[in-house]
Amino acid sequence: MTIRHSRGLDRRAFLRLSGTAAAAFTAGSLVSCGQGTEADTPSDAGQSGPPNTEPDADNPLNVPPDEPLETVIFKGGYGDQYVIDAQALYAERFPDAEIKHQGGQELGKQLQPRFISGDVPDLIDNSGAGNLPMAALVADGQLMDLTPLLDAPAIGAGGKTVRETLIPGVVDLGSFGGTPHALYYAFVVHGIWHSRSLFEENGWPEPETWDDMLDLCAEIKSTGMSPWTYQGKNPGYILTPILMAAAKAGGLDVLKNIDNLEAGAWTAPPMMAAAEAFYQLVERDYILPGTSGMTHTQAQTYWATGEAAFIPCGSWLESELGDVTPEGFDMVVTTTPAVTASDALPGTAIRGMGSEPYIVPSQAKNPMGGMELLRIMLSPESATNFTDQTQTLTSLADYEPTNVGSGLTSVREALAASGDDTFFWLYHQWYSELSASVNETTSLLMTGEINPDEWAQQCQSAADAVKDDDSVTKFQRD
Amino acid sequence: MSVHSQPRALDPKPPARTEPPRRSGRDQADIGGRTLNVFSHAFLLTWAVLVILPLLWTVLNSFKSDDEILTSAWSLPGSFSLDSFVRAWTTANIGQYFLNTAVVVSLGVILTLGLGSLVAYVIARYPFPGNRVIYFLFVAGLTFPVFLAIVPLFFVARSLQLANSLPGLALIYTAYYLPFAVFFLTAYFRTLPDSIADAAFIDGCGHWRAFFWVMLPMARPGMISVGIFVTIGQWNQFLLPLVLQTDPDKYVIAQGLASLAVSQEYASDWSGLFAGLTLSMIPVLVVYIVFQRQIESGMVAGAVK
Amino acid sequence: MRQGRYRFIVGALAGPIVLYAVLVLWPYLQSFYVSLTDWSGYTSERRLIGLANYERLLKDPVFWISLRHNLLAAVVLPVFSIGLGLFFATMLNVAGRAKKAAVQGVRGASFYRIVYFFPHLLSIAVIGVLWSFVYDPTGNGLLNGFLGLIGIDPVNWLGSTRTAYWAILAVIVWVSVGFYVLVFTAAIGSIPPDMYEAAMLDGASRWRIFWRITVPLIWDTVQVALVYAGINALDMFAIVNVMSAAGGSGGPNNSTQVLGNYIYLTAFEHGRFGYATALGVALFVVTIVLAVITLRFMRRDRVVY
């Protein structure tokens, strides 16, 4: 597979190619796209290359003011109103630009033929089930490098660039081999959730170490409540705290080795310590019976209705549960307890992750317009609007949402406490087959069908298989 | 109906028909038959319960509040609330997409049945070189995952101006449901007695006339059953419109319901989900029950005529 | 009589075949070509890599797991769905016993005919949600709640690698029995009632009538139904996709993985359209071979009457 993302593709080259794409399909012939020579000829309009270096306060990205703008937005838990609101601001700035908007689901299948024919929207929120596989798009050179946007001045930030106003690490989350191709608009933290009111009522402390956790679980179980549940049919949910605990135990290198497909990454001592720790929940029968057969909504609902005390989840949990959560439940998120006596990261370190990855296709007719809309969405005004609508943080670091529930408050506290120690991993978006494989292996660990040793071996061999597979485009992080 | 064109002379045992055959099953049967009857009835009833129970439960839950659904799955709703239906109706935009779906499906079903029966009839009753090849070409259409062909189909549809058009979608549905229709109708046409077709030819019917006036009416039970399956399949079709109908004005109902299911996944709106499920069942259910009499008499026409 | 025969054949087949060839076969053929490339599915770029995808397939453990599951289904599903379908269709159409010669179903036949068909009216998404409640692994689930009444502990139907696949197969039987009841009802409806009447007058037992009249006369339909059930068993994409995890993982740990779903994941989740299409071609070949063998093996002399 040709790796093209590093080469800054020319928009016109793509348009030209795309013209032949449809014909190629109907003719059933093979399109060889190797001829890159013409692609390097400069384009006349000058809108497709990097933005002008001349400062233009009103239009730093040199958006052609009358060029139409088309957005396709995943319409899931967050809806798409926040994008429509931002489009109104865009329309104020560029009244001559016609804006076309579509909110929907299963974007991958909808947009697949459009990517092949070159008739793509200018901005996509590539989220939800059935989305576009991002690593494949990057490997095919289908996504714009978002550096122009990141280097443009942010709105309402006193001269800072967009990059400087974002939560640290967000840019890396959307980077493939160092090039930012996606920008996660929403920012979530992952952790372990419990009901503060329930814990206070019973005098249960928040566990600091895994031993505390196991002690507490014994106590919880004695009351007849199950200590843990997780989103059984999507075992990636329970793998998350395992990886978090491993990262906290062994430091960031644990995660880097996994992302870089290093030999022995999954069998390293911190990984084993974390897997052992969570395996204790199985051994001691601390997991709500039937958990492995539950959908995420089922498990979360059982947790919120008091069947289990802990559940792992991202910070979307509060909005996802909606009215199911009882009055006064007071849900809070914490990071994983320390699984070793000498954890490498501070106790407060937590996993940060983006959601709602925004991408600008290389073949877009108005890529700068797409980036400009994203720049508007990352203004404090739009970010506040989003958080008020969704109870979810954006990737913008400093802004004050006006409507904050208990879950979001604890998310903000956890994130502030974690600070620069907030960590992340990338393998799941780089290598979807590896991700699917380790998730399923984890489901076996958590039902006791395999032990931590077997789990680590099987995960490692899945990683090795990807590493040895020449047809998979590899990425590196440092 | 066709009976008139059916040459009486060839009817094997016309006298058996002189008495109206419908008789009440209460007439005495032998003892062994009776035990069998009890057993069979119990079995029939069990299956009916297995089918009805989950459906009834869906409908009941659509009237409940989220809390009731989660805490007392088996109880009746405390009060019948229509809120969830209103929510489902607006989220799924059912009103607007209903008409589109009706247009596409009615056109698609008529075309599928018309073309499918022609092909099936020829394959079933006209041995000619290449007959089996054509048959298996259609059978092959049942065995390959449609989603793998969706991209080439998109480009074919676009170049033929079939994308984003309701008649265009109906034509595409027709093409994709032909294999199913041909496969089953061929079997039905084979089941029909040869004697009648032969008689029609002896009477001097042309091939087209024999098909339309003799064979097609006789195949009515098969046509009806295939028609029902095709209607349901096209009504619920999601993948083809998802890719081919990108213009929201041309959306069909399955696309609206998908958005409802997704919004449930992110918002735990259980009652809204059940209402949506109920709403999506109801149109087909109503049509089926309204036409049930016709379907019934068409399907068992041979048996009670 | 013979004149115009070929003109009729050509005239009848031309339209449907052109439509089918352009909209179905042509996209399929293009997909077959894709199986020889490394196409990701999202670009105009694809490189011819010969049979590499097929080599990969032979070494892919998930392919073999999936195929084994599919073949298991191809044995189990036809036996249950068609066995039950044939039994019910007979009960509902010809099993009613009357002293006077007459053919009809048992009492309540038309009620059962409507009810049995309900599951087939539902879209696959509805079935998925409905059954996730039936199979809820806690005591609150519909099925576990029922089992609890008779003192059986909750079973983790979809969460255990031992039960998950069988639980899904049971759903398919639940859905498809009504389909085959209707299919066979239509076929029985095409049998001239005189045949039954004559047999009944001769005092033949119901068992004998079933084997000597019903089955031989609808043999074409039975055969087609068996092949169709087999074809469906080799796909099973939709049901596995909605019944296993969100996004259709085929889990836990591939214990419910089937080819159709694996192909879907490979194409859309992993962005490997070339390889997915090679899997699709393999599925196609397996299905067609089994279909041809079944149709050959089961070919009986047609009952001509």
Side-chain angles (χ1 to χ4, degrees):
Chain A
M1 194 172 279
T2 3
I3 305 171
R4 307 193 60 157
H5 61 272
S6 53
R7 187 155 41 107
L9 276 167
D10 183 292
R11 179 177 64 97
R12 290 183 71 230
F14 259 104
L15 291 179
R16 190 174 42 73
L17 285 173
S18 62
T20 58
F25 256 99
T26 40
S29 66
L30 179 70
V31 188
S32 158
C33 293
Q35 74 272 51
T37 45
E38 273 178 86
D40 298 330
T41 53
S43 58
D44 45 3
Q47 290 146 5
S48 54
N52 239 318
T53 37
E54 296 166 38
D56 178 351
D58 285 337
N59 189 2
L61 290 165
N62 276 330
V63 177
D66 48 0
E67 184 78 24
L69 179 74
E70 189 192 348
T71 55
V72 174
I73 305 299
F74 171 66
K75 206 171 162 185
Y78 303 138
D80 62 350
Q81 186 57 42
Y82 70 100
V83 184
I84 295 170
D85 294 341
Q87 282 167 351
L89 301 176
Y90 186 95
E92 274 172 30
R93 300 260 311 283
F94 306 103
D96 295 332
E98 184 202 338
I99 299 179
K100 203 176 152 202
H101 170 80
Q102 194 196 335
Q105 295 85 30
E106 295 280 343
L107 299 186
K109 281 167 221 87
Q110 266 183 64
L111 293 173
Q112 189 191 15
R114 296 189 63 183
F115 268 92
I116 296 160
S117 67
D119 166 35
V120 285
D122 304 302
L123 185 65
I124 301 168
D125 171 13
N126 183 33
S127 194
N131 59 350
L132 294 152
M134 226 142 33
L137 289 180
V138 170
D140 285 336
Q142 289 277 23
L143 300 186
M144 283 294 270
D145 178 346
L146 298 179
T147 304
L149 165 67
L150 296 172
D151 290 344
I155 295 172
K160 281 192 196 166
T161 64
V162 169
R163 188 192 303 272
E164 288 159 351
T165 62
L166 297 178
I167 293 174
V170 165
V171 172
D172 300 314
L173 281 170
S175 291
F176 291 78
T179 313
H181 284 296
L183 188 57
Y184 284 97
Y185 183 62
F187 192 82
V188 291
V189 299
H190 285 248
I192 300 168
W193 294 76
H194 66 268
S195 157
R196 179 172 284 156
S197 58
L198 175 80
F199 274 50
E200 278 170 1
E201 208 175 286
N202 290 284
W204 295 336
E206 284 181 8
E208 302 269 320
T209 69
W210 197 254
D211 287 337
D212 295 348
M213 172 60 91
L214 293 176
D215 291 346
L216 179 58
C217 285
E219 195 180 333
I220 292 171
K221 200 182 174 194
S222 70
T223 69
M225 190 181 195
S226 285
W228 273 77
T229 189
Y230 62 91
Q231 299 77 346
K233 283 190 179 180
N234 294 88
Y237 278 91
I238 190 70
L239 177 57
T240 295
I242 297 178
L243 286 174
M244 285 173 67
K248 287 180 70 183
L252 296 181
D253 283 343
V254 173
L255 299 176
K256 285 177 187 166
N257 290 341
I258 285 176
D259 290 343
N260 291 336
L261 303 174
E262 299 293 347
W266 289 87
T267 51
M271 291 294 287
M272 295 305 302
E276 273 298 344
F278 277 81
Y279 189 63
Q280 287 306 307
L281 299 178
V282 186
E283 288 267 277
R284 305 185 187 197
D285 201 15
Y286 287 161
I287 297 174
L288 177 67
T291 288
S292 69
M294 292 179 193
T295 63
H296 67 287
T297 33
Q298 277 171 332
Q300 287 161 194
T301 301
Y302 282 128
W303 170 75
T305 48
E307 299 281 330
F310 292 108
I311 192 168
C313 198
S315 48
W316 57 81
L317 181 62
E318 186 173 31
S319 74
E320 201 166 271
L321 275 168
D323 296 337
V324 170
T325 316
E327 204 69 33
F329 187 77
D330 221 3
M331 64 175 78
V332 289
V333 64
T334 57
T335 184
T336 48
V339 293
T340 67
S342 52
D343 267 14
L345 294 183
T348 50
I350 199 165
R351 179 201 184 191
M353 183 58 210
S355 86
E356 311 311 298
Y358 275 76
I359 52 177
V360 178
S362 322
Q363 305 180 72
K365 288 166 207 72
N366 188 10
M368 289 304 150
M371 290 193 212
E372 177 66 18
L373 180 61
L374 207 41
R375 196 172 74 98
I376 293 171
M377 287 165 61
L378 287 165
S379 67
E381 181 188 356
S382 296
T384 305
N385 185 36
F386 174 80
T387 304
D388 290 351
Q389 285 177 18
T390 63
Q391 287 294 296
T392 304
L393 296 176
T394 66
S395 294
L396 187 68
D398 277 324
Y399 68 104
E400 274 308 315
T402 48
N403 163 22
V404 182
S406 79
L408 183 56
T409 307
S410 80
V411 167
R412 297 177 82 206
E413 283 166 1
L415 192 57
S418 176
D420 288 344
D421 295 315
T422 307
F423 55 87
F424 57 89
W425 53 84
L426 297 166
Y427 78 91
H428 61 292
Q429 54 189 31
W430 289 353
Y431 312 112
S432 64
E433 281 156 319
L434 173 60
S435 176
S437 182
V438 295
N439 286 348
E440 291 303 321
T441 306
T442 306
S443 80
L444 296 183
L445 176 74
M446 297 309 287
T447 51
E449 282 177 61
I450 55 175
N451 63 35
D453 280 327
E454 292 165 312
W455 173 81
Q457 292 299 337
Q458 290 180 22
C459 290
Q460 186 59 47
S461 57
D464 293 342
V466 170
K467 190 180 187 178
D468 295 339
D469 188 342
D470 294 336
S471 66
V472 177
T473 308
K474 309 293 192 306
F475 304 100
Q476 285 286 315
R477 70 180 277 200
D478 41 39
Chain B
M1 164 48 214
S2 56
V3 255
H4 309 300
S5 56
Q6 198 168 307
R8 300 272 319 163
L10 282 156
D11 242 334
K13 279 191 186 122
R17 292 251 183 98
T18 46
E19 199 164 358
R22 227 189 226 294
R23 270 283 172 274
S24 130
R26 259 164 295 159
D27 287 6
Q28 273 316 309
D30 53 292
I31 308 288
R34 179 158 266 196
T35 342
L36 200 63
N37 248 341
V38 171
F39 169 76
S40 316
H41 265 113
F43 199 49
L44 284 169
L45 210 61
T46 310
W47 192 261
V49 170
L50 279 179
V51 165
I52 290 181
L53 210 65
L55 294 187
L56 205 63
W57 189 68
T58 310
V59 176
L60 273 182
N61 272 336
S62 63
F63 292 104
K64 292 187 188 172
S65 69
D66 288 341
D67 204 37
E68 284 176 314
I69 292 173
L70 298 165
T71 49
S72 44
W74 290 76
S75 67
L76 288 172
S79 63
F80 279 84
S81 142
L82 289 174
D83 283 5
S84 45
F85 283 93
V86 175
R87 217 159 51 235
W89 184 273
T90 45
T91 314
N93 215 341
I94 287 172
Q96 197 195 329
Y97 302 152
F98 193 90
L99 204 67
N100 290 346
T101 319
V103 168
V104 174
V105 171
S106 46
L107 200 58
V109 171
I110 291 171
L111 280 171
T112 310
L113 283 182
L115 299 182
S117 61
L118 255 180
V119 175
Y121 172 63
V122 170
I123 289 177
R125 305 207 141 252
Y126 288 77
F128 62 92
N131 179 308
R132 298 307 280 171
V133 174
I134 291 176
Y135 179 66
F136 277 109
L137 222 50
F138 277 102
V139 176
L142 291 168
T143 66
F144 192 69
V146 175
F147 53 75
L148 287 180
I150 198 83
V151 167
L153 172 67
F154 175 86
F155 290 107
V156 172
R158 204 176 57 168
S159 57
L160 296 175
Q161 317 268 323
L162 297 178
N164 272 326
S165 129
L166 297 181
L169 189 63
L171 215 54
I172 290 168
Y173 279 9
T174 305
Y176 278 84
Y177 282 84
L178 266 184
F180 174 82
V182 168
F183 192 54
F184 276 96
L185 287 175
T186 303
Y188 286 128
F189 277 113
R190 282 202 187 123
T191 306
L192 297 181
D194 286 344
S195 44
I196 293 169
D198 293 345
F201 289 131
I202 291 168
D203 283 0
C205 276
H207 293 280
W208 287 100
R209 232 184 112 74
F211 171 69
F212 278 113
W213 294 102
V214 180
M215 299 311 283
L216 205 52
M218 284 195 6
R220 199 171 62 165
M223 294 287 281
I224 289 175
S225 66
V226 170
I228 293 168
F229 300 139
V230 171
T231 308
I232 295 162
Q234 296 189 353
W235 182 269
N236 290 331
Q237 180 56 245
F238 175 61
L239 179 66
L240 292 172
L242 175 75
V243 177
L244 299 170
Q245 308 287 94
T246 47
D247 176 357
D249 291 343
K250 305 276 167 60
Y251 276 4
V252 296
I253 209 158
Q255 286 165 291
L257 287 169
S259 107
L260 184 75
V262 168
S263 64
Q264 190 279 330
E265 228 167 76
Y266 292 91
S268 304
D269 179 3
W270 294 103
S271 53
L273 176 73
F274 281 109
L277 297 185
T278 308
L279 280 178
S280 77
M281 300 190 317
I282 282 175
V284 227
L285 209 61
V286 165
V287 170
Y288 188 72
I289 289 173
V290 163
F291 286 103
Q292 204 277 327
R293 209 172 255 284
Q294 283 88 329
I295 291 171
E296 183 96 331
S297 64
M299 297 267 289
V300 293
V304 295
K305 194 164 46 182
Chain C
M1 192 62 326
R2 299 262 137 203
Q3 83 238 42
R5 189 168 176 275
Y6 279 95
R7 225 172 49 210
F8 171 67
I9 294 175
V10 172
L13 294 182
I17 287 186
V18 167
L19 183 75
Y20 181 63
V22 170
L23 292 177
V24 181
L25 291 182
W26 180 227
Y28 280 10
L29 278 177
Q30 291 182 57
S31 294
F32 280 29
Y33 171 77
V34 166
S35 76
L36 304 174
T37 70
D38 68 347
W39 191 44
S40 71
Y42 299 90
T43 165
S44 52
E45 216 171 325
R46 45 184 179 172
R47 205 157 48 87
L48 203 59
I49 54 168
L51 294 174
N53 284 328
Y54 291 92
E55 276 169 44
R56 183 188 187 90
L57 173 154
L58 293 176
K59 286 182 287 185
D60 182 349
V62 183
F63 167 74
W64 293 107
I65 293 171
S66 311
L67 185 61
R68 211 167 55 230
H69 287 151
N70 280 118
L71 292 176
L72 176 67
V75 173
V76 171
L77 290 181
V79 170
F80 281 91
S81 341
I82 293 181
L84 284 172
L86 200 52
F87 169 69
F88 289 140
T90 312
M91 292 291 296
L92 299 182
N93 293 296
V94 290
R97 200 71 195 269
K99 211 165 199 174
K100 303 268 172 62
V103 195
Q104 62 184 61
V106 297
R107 237 184 311 159
S110 54
F111 165 78
Y112 289 126
R113 268 198 293 264
I114 299 179
V115 166
Y116 285 8
F117 196 59
F118 277 174
H120 206 77
L121 294 170
L122 309 179
S123 73
I124 199 78
V126 176
I127 292 167
V129 175
L130 185 62
W131 279 85
S132 73
F133 274 88
V134 175
Y135 284 143
D136 183 312
T138 69
N140 300 345
L142 219 53
L143 184 54
N144 280 332
F146 176 74
L147 291 178
L149 295 180
I150 51 174
I152 297 176
D153 283 342
V155 178
N156 193 352
W157 298 104
L158 293 170
S160 156
T161 49
R162 282 181 298 278
T163 49
Y165 192 56
W166 294 102
I168 290 180
L169 290 182
V171 177
I172 300 180
V173 172
W174 180 79
V175 176
S176 56
V177 163
F179 173 90
Y180 294 109
V181 169
L182 199 58
V183 164
F184 294 134
T185 297
I188 291 172
S190 314
I191 298 176
D194 330 339
M195 309 287 284
Y196 285 112
E197 287 159 10
M200 282 176 172
L201 286 173
D202 291 348
S205 74
R206 276 196 292 199
W207 191 244
R208 210 175 143 76
I209 291 177
F210 176 74
W211 283 112
R212 302 306 285 272
I213 299 185
T214 309
V215 170
L217 287 185
I218 65 166
W219 186 247
D220 279 311
T221 307
V222 174
Q223 204 180 342
V224 157
L226 277 169
V227 172
Y228 187 72
I231 289 174
N232 276 347
L234 286 169
D235 174 19
M236 294 193 16
F237 155 65
I239 192 85
V240 167
N241 200 263
V242 297
M243 300 279 310
S244 58
S249 63
N253 199 36
N254 287 321
S255 63
T256 63
Q257 195 65 277
V258 290
L259 275 177
N261 192 59
Y262 185 50
I263 292 169
Y264 178 87
L265 293 177
T266 307
F268 291 104
E269 297 286 310
H270 307 321
R272 286 179 184 272
F273 254 77
Y275 182 48
T277 313
L279 292 165
V281 172
L283 170 64
F284 166 78
V285 170
V286 170
T287 317
I288 275 288
V289 166
L290 284 181
V292 172
I293 289 174
T294 315
L295 288 172
R296 282 269 143 124
F297 178 69
M298 300 202 346
R299 186 187 285 173
R300 287 194 186 180
D301 286 334
R302 282 192 51 222
V303 184
V304 179
Y305 53 93

